[in-house]
Amino acid sequence: MGGLAGVWNLDGQPADRSLVTSIASTLAHRGSNEPGIWCDGPIGFAAQLLRVAPQSIRECQPARDRFGTVLLFDGRLDNRDELLARLPRGETTSASPDSAVVLAARCEWGDGFLARLEGDFALALFDPRLNTLVLARDAVGCRPLYYWTNGARLVFGSAIKAILAHPDVRAKPNEDLLADFFLLERLPYEDEGDTFFDGIHAVRPGCWLRVTPGRTTAGRFWDFDPRAQIRYASYPDYALRLRELLVTAVRRRLRTVHPVVIATSGGLDSSIVLCIADDLRRSGALDVALHPVSYAPRDDPTTEENRFMALLESARGLRIHRLAPGDPDDEEQLTRDVRYSESPVFDDGSSAQAPLLVHAGALGARTLLTGIWSDQFFFVTGYLTDLTMKLAWREVARHLDEYNRWFPDADPAYFRNRFRRELLLNATPRAIRRWLRPFRTAMARSHVRWPIGDAVAARVRRRRRPLIHPRYATVHARTIYQTVRAKSHRLEIESDAKIASGCGLAHVTPFLDRDVIAYLMSVPGEVLNRDGVPRALLRDAMDGIVPADILRRTWRDEGPTPAALERERRRTDLAAKTGLRASHALGYFPDARCADADSVDLIGLEVWSQVFFSDTLPPPEEGPRWQRLRK
C-alpha cells in the first residue's frame, strides 16, 4: 500500500516543489523510503513507495517512458504475466515492476489500456504530448484515490490529508453525506464518489477521470456484467471452479518478499484463507513466512472460537499467535484511527485490531491478509425472489426452513420476514421504486436516536440525481452487483485500507477479488446456497482443504461475555467523557453533552470534528489534549 499525490496548476503557474514535497509528507506512513518527487512546469507528482512485490525492490517512481509519459502507480497487477506475453518483446521483462508494465500497456493500447489491467490499484498518468492527466482506480476500489479541483488547481492523493495540505483547499464537512450517514437506516446505493469532506471526491471504482486545462470528464473503463450467466452441467463443476478462483485469489495477494500476517479466527472465512495460504506455502508456490494471529485468548478452551482454533492448529501443524484486543476507550488510538481513516465512524473493531497491526509491523510484514467480505457476497438471499418468480414455492420454503438450522439462535421468523420484505422490493417495478424514494427519505427523521440539528436533518430530504442502473439477468445478480457498488461498502473498504496503511500494511482479502465476485454474480443463487445451506458452494469447494468440522460450523450466539460487557461499559464511559463539544460547535447538535448510551456511536463524529476542523472551533477547555489532536 504505497501512496501517490500530485498538483496540477491548470492556470499554468509553475508547480512549487516544496509544496509537492510537503504534500508527500502527509503520506510518509504509506512508504518505507524517501518520496520520489517530479516537477515540470505547472505539474508536480510525488510517490511514497511501499515495496512489497519482488519486482518492486529497486523500483523508482514517478516512472517515465521514452515519450515522456509520467506515471504514479500504487497497487498490484494480477495479470502481469498475461500482459507481458502480449506486449512487444524488449519493452518489459518478468523482472520489470508493475509500473513499467502499466506504462508499456499504455504505449501499446492507448486509452484502452485501463480495461486490460486486473488487480488492486490506483494510478495517475500524465501525457505531456496530449497535456492530459488521467486518474483511475481498480474495479472494486481496494486502493483509495481522491481529488479536488476549483478549475485553476487540481490536487489528488491516496489520502484526503494530502489534498488538505494544499493551501487552496479548505477543510469543510460534507453535510449531505453526514446527514445520510447518521440519519438514514442505510446509505443510498447511488455512489457519485462523495466523501465526508465537501468538494473532495473519490475516483469511483472501475472509473477514470480525464483532466485537461478547461475540461474534466469522467467515465467507466470496466464494470461487472450482471447479465452474464454461467451454467455448468453438474454441481461439482461449480464447486471446482470456485475452488480454482479462490486459490488464485489468495496467491495473487501473496506476491511479496515480506512476511504475511493472517487475521485468523475459528470461523469459516478466515480458516479458508489460512488453509489455502498454507497449502500454497507447502507446495512451494509461495516462499514467504505466514504468521496467523488471533484475538481469542487461550485461557478459555470452552469457547467455540478456541475449540475451532485448536482444530486448525492441530490439522495444519501451525501455532496461531494470540493477542489481547485493543482497549475500546483508548482515546489516542481512536484519534489515530480517525486521522488515518478520515471517517467520522467510531469502530470498536478498529481499536480492537490495533495490537494486530503493531504486531505485524514488528514482524516486518507488509501484507495483512483477512477473510472479511465473504458474508456480503456468498450469502445473499435475493435468489429466493428468482425462485418465487419461477413458481418454485416449495423450494423457497425448504430453503427458509434450512436457514433456521444453521442459525439456531436467530428468531425463527427472521428469515421469513426478511424474504417478504425483499420480495416486495424486488417485485416492485423500478419506476414505482423511483417514485417512492422521496417518501422514504422524507420519513428518515423518525429513525433518529440523537438530538441532531434540524438544519442537518433536513438534508436527507434533498432532491437526488438518480444514477442509471444496468440491466440484470436475475435478482440474485442485482443483489451482488449493488453490494459491490454500494457507497457504504466503498467507504468501508477505503477506511480499512487507510487504517492498515498507518502501520505500513496493505490490507487485502481474496473475497474482494474481481474474478471471484463476477463468478458469484453469474451463477444461480440457489447453487451458492444449495438445499438452503448458507454458503453451501463455498463449503463444498473447500472440502479437503479446511477441516470438516469448520465447514459444518453454524452461527451461534454465545451471549454477552464478561469481557464484552466490560468493553461496552468502557465505550459508554468514553462517550460521556468525550461529549459532543466539537460537533456541537459545528452546528450538528443543540447540546454538547452525550444524551445517553446510544450516543456512543457519535464518538467518531466528535473526534473527526476535533481532528480535522479544530481551527474553526472556539478555544477548548482541555487545551493540552486539543493541541495534540491538531498535530
Side-chain angles (χ1 to χ4, degrees):
M1 180 67 69
L4 52 90
V7 176
W8 190 6
N9 294 326
L10 297 166
D11 58 7
Q13 292 187 16
D16 184 342
R17 187 180 184 90
S18 63
L19 174 59
V20 175
T21 302
S22 177
I23 291 174
S25 69
T26 66
L27 302 174
H29 59 284
R30 302 178 70 94
S32 54
N33 300 94
E34 290 296 315
I37 305 293
W38 170 84
C39 292
D40 185 13
I43 194 164
F45 278 5
Q48 286 281 4
L49 294 184
L50 184 67
R51 296 180 174 90
V52 175
Q55 298 87 356
S56 67
I57 298 303
R58 295 181 177 83
E59 180 181 15
C60 292
Q61 288 195 39
R64 302 182 68 182
D65 67 11
R66 65 181 185 276
F67 301 108
T69 304
V70 186
L71 173 72
L72 294 172
F73 183 81
D74 167 36
R76 182 196 70 247
L77 279 182
D78 289 338
N79 64 331
R80 55 178 282 121
D81 290 342
E82 175 188 340
L83 293 173
L84 288 170
R86 297 186 178 186
L87 289 170
R89 293 185 179 181
E91 290 286 328
T92 51
T93 69
S94 59
S96 299
D98 287 354
S99 57
V101 178
V102 171
L103 275 173
R106 175 28 165 70
C107 182
E108 179 70 13
W109 295 301
D111 290 342
F113 83 105
L114 287 170
R116 297 176 179 264
L117 307 182
E118 296 182 27
D120 302 345
F121 64 85
L123 64 81
L125 183 145
F126 179 70
D127 187 337
R129 297 169 296 175
L130 301 176
N131 202 27
T132 299
L133 172 69
V134 174
L135 306 178
R137 193 170 171 202
D138 66 82
V140 180
C142 294
R143 301 293 172 109
L145 184 60
Y146 307 97
Y147 69 94
W148 170 94
T149 183
N150 63 357
R153 307 275 183 276
L154 181 128
V155 189
F156 66 88
S158 297
I160 292 173
K161 289 185 296 296
I163 297 173
L164 294 176
H166 194 285
D168 287 358
V169 183
R170 179 175 174 266
K172 182 181 178 183
N174 180 352
E175 294 184 348
D176 285 345
L177 182 55
L178 287 173
D180 287 353
F181 190 84
F182 286 104
L183 298 188
L184 298 181
E185 290 183 338
R186 66 182 64 182
L187 280 178
Y189 156 71
E190 286 83 2
D191 185 9
E192 294 182 293
D194 41 349
T195 72
F196 288 105
F197 296 82
D198 187 47
I200 298 178
H201 302 276
V203 177
R204 290 185 295 143
C207 292
W208 50 259
L209 186 80
R210 182 173 291 111
V211 183
T212 59
R215 189 179 185 193
T216 299
T217 56
R220 185 175 292 280
F221 65 84
W222 192 91
D223 199 7
F224 296 94
D225 182 3
R227 293 173 298 178
Q229 298 186 69
I230 294 176
R231 301 294 183 264
Y232 291 124
S234 66
Y235 177 78
D237 292 333
Y238 288 103
L240 178 61
R241 179 55 180 157
L242 178 58
R243 184 184 188 125
E244 293 171 347
L245 289 170
L246 286 174
V247 171
T248 299
V250 173
R251 185 175 63 246
R252 285 170 168 175
R253 284 152 182 80
L254 295 178
R255 184 161 66 94
T256 175
V257 294
H258 301 282
V260 174
V261 167
I262 304 177
T264 307
S265 69
L268 177 62
D269 307 324
S270 65
S271 298
I272 288 172
V273 173
L274 175 60
C275 291
I276 291 178
D278 188 48
D279 278 350
L280 290 169
R281 180 186 61 83
R282 292 172 184 234
S283 69
L286 297 177
D287 187 22
V288 296
L290 303 178
H291 297 278
V293 180
S294 175
Y295 295 131
R298 294 184 187 275
D299 55 8
D300 188 0
T302 63
T303 65
E304 285 246 305
E305 287 302 306
N306 267 320
R307 184 164 66 86
F308 287 111
M309 295 257 273
L311 176 60
L312 271 177
E313 290 180 314
S314 173
R316 286 283 160 179
L318 296 169
R319 183 167 179 83
I320 300 174
H321 185 79
R322 311 300 177 96
L323 290 170
D327 296 331
D329 56 354
D330 186 337
E331 295 179 68
E332 296 296 332
Q333 183 61 46
L334 172 59
T335 301
R336 184 177 184 276
D337 286 345
V338 168
R339 186 180 297 282
Y340 284 124
S341 72
E342 302 168 333
S343 171
V345 180
F346 173 59
D347 184 357
D348 188 32
S350 295
S351 63
Q353 77 166 351
L356 184 150
L357 298 177
V358 173
H359 177 73
L363 291 172
R366 292 291 181 266
T367 302
L368 172 62
L369 183 64
T370 76
I372 63 173
W373 293 100
S374 170
D375 284 341
Q376 288 84 348
F377 297 110
F378 279 89
F379 185 47
V380 294
T381 54
Y383 75 95
L384 295 175
T385 300
D386 293 321
L387 291 176
T388 301
M389 291 177 174
K390 291 187 288 188
L391 306 182
W393 300 319
R394 291 183 180 178
E395 188 173 357
V396 170
R398 286 198 302 270
H399 281 229
L400 289 170
D401 288 340
E402 184 66 17
Y403 290 171
N404 290 329
R405 196 170 74 81
W406 291 87
F407 296 89
D409 298 322
D411 180 349
Y414 169 76
F415 285 107
R416 291 186 181 275
N417 292 334
R418 173 174 160 177
F419 164 63
R420 293 188 186 101
R421 292 193 302 270
E422 290 183 346
L423 181 61
L424 179 63
L425 174 66
N426 293 324
T428 302
R430 182 184 300 179
I432 296 178
R433 291 200 305 270
R434 187 182 301 118
W435 180 78
L436 289 173
R437 179 175 179 177
F439 297 96
R440 293 201 307 270
T441 56
M443 296 174 62
R445 194 72 170 86
S446 62
H447 302 303
V448 179
R449 293 178 293 170
W450 310 292
I452 199 162
D454 290 338
V456 177
R459 291 179 176 272
V460 300
R461 296 187 287 274
R462 67 189 182 276
R463 292 183 62 87
R464 301 167 189 265
R465 187 181 68 178
L467 299 184
I468 297 176
H469 291 239
R471 294 190 176 274
Y472 307 98
T474 61
V475 174
H476 167 74
R478 182 174 73 192
T479 304
I480 293 183
Y481 181 89
Q482 293 188 354
T483 297
V484 72
R485 289 287 175 247
K487 180 193 303 183
S488 58
H489 291 159
R490 190 257 300 168
L491 292 169
E492 189 174 346
I493 291 169
E494 291 172 353
S495 178
D496 289 342
K498 289 187 288 187
I499 288 176
S501 75
C503 290
L505 293 165
H507 184 283
V508 298
T509 172
F511 297 112
L512 287 181
D513 188 88
R514 184 180 99 175
D515 293 342
V516 170
I517 296 173
Y519 179 73
L520 300 180
M521 197 180 297
S522 62
V523 303
E526 59 269 28
V527 169
L528 291 184
N529 303 283
R530 191 187 192 196
D531 297 327
V533 177
R535 300 193 287 179
L537 186 65
L538 179 62
R539 299 171 193 270
D540 293 336
M542 292 295 103
D543 185 33
I545 294 179
V546 177
D549 284 350
I550 294 178
L551 293 178
R552 293 191 294 266
R553 185 175 178 181
T554 61
W555 286 266
R556 290 190 175 275
D557 182 5
E558 295 184 308
T561 64
L565 291 173
E566 174 62 15
R567 290 185 70 84
E568 181 64 30
R569 183 193 67 78
R570 293 173 68 176
R571 285 195 298 268
T572 303
D573 289 346
L574 177 61
K577 179 181 178 181
T578 303
L580 300 173
R581 196 189 65 77
S583 44
H584 164 66
L586 288 172
Y588 302 143
F589 301 98
D591 195 327
R593 297 168 297 175
C594 283
D596 50 42
D598 284 338
S599 298
V600 70
D601 293 334
L602 300 178
I603 296 175
L605 176 59
E606 173 63 19
V607 176
W608 180 77
S609 300
Q610 294 174 0
V611 168
F612 290 103
F613 304 101
S614 57
D615 287 336
T616 68
L617 301 175
E621 297 176 4
E622 59 278 82
R625 178 173 176 271
W626 193 279
Q627 294 303 319
R628 290 200 305 273
L629 293 174
R630 295 181 61 180
K631 292 180 180 178

